[in-house]
Amino acid sequence: MFLLLALLFGVIAGLRAMTAPAAVAWGAALGWFDVSQTPLAFMGYHWTPWIFTLLAVVELITDQLPSTPSRKVPVQFGARIVMGALAGATIGAANSLLFGGLIVGVIGAVIGTYGGAAVRGRLAASFGKDLPAALIEDAVAVIGALLIVAVS
């Protein structure tokens, strides 16, 4: 079950890189899962969710800019993989499956990156512009992350 949650957080990271670690950090800080005795204890610190939330909000805003590069370019893709790994590893660490969570978090990030790009492209084509598709993807990422962390 926990590896499935780690995979799903990886998918969220593929959609919006900072949303997944923000949600996981909130879950850890609120005590919904315990990472205090793991190498990822910092995810449960009081300031961590605020920092990731700020980064997630910035990402949601900058994603709407026409100058924002594709999520599939190396830097963007790498960031999604790292954030998927972090979110997955945090969920895994809370359940003594740190490396398993890390691996499935990476797999989820790859799925979310390519799948999200494909779906957003189709939505943008059907709307005739990208903004509605981007906003739908934002909503899916944020609501999905909240639902997954609530289940965790």
Side-chain angles (χ1 to χ4, degrees):
M1 175 67 173
F2 299 110
L3 292 179
L4 174 62
L5 296 173
L7 178 76
L8 293 174
F9 271 119
V11 171
I12 297 297
L15 299 177
R16 293 289 175 272
M18 294 299 167
T19 301
V24 170
W26 277 109
L30 293 172
W32 294 352
F33 45 89
D34 182 22
V35 293
S36 63
Q37 302 302 312
T38 73
L40 297 172
F42 73 93
M43 291 296 282
Y45 294 173
H46 294 293
W47 51 267
T48 305
W50 294 103
I51 292 171
F52 277 118
T53 299
L54 176 63
L55 293 171
V57 169
V58 168
E59 180 183 25
L60 290 172
I61 293 167
T62 59
D63 181 63
Q64 311 307 320
L65 302 174
S67 61
T68 301
S70 166
R71 73 184 79 202
K72 296 184 280 186
V73 300
V75 172
Q76 299 281 356
F77 189 67
R80 291 165 195 276
I81 288 174
V82 169
M83 293 300 116
L86 175 62
T90 303
I91 291 293
N95 300 285
S96 301
L97 297 168
L98 187 140
F99 291 110
L102 184 144
I103 291 167
V104 297
V106 168
I107 292 167
V110 172
I111 293 167
T113 299
Y114 285 109
V119 170
R120 181 169 168 177
R122 287 188 193 112
L123 283 173
S126 70
F127 287 123
K129 54 185 171 178
D130 186 60
L131 182 61
L135 294 175
I136 289 170
E137 186 178 17
D138 290 345
V140 167
V142 171
I143 293 168
L146 292 173
L147 289 173
I148 297 165
V149 80
V151 171
S152 300

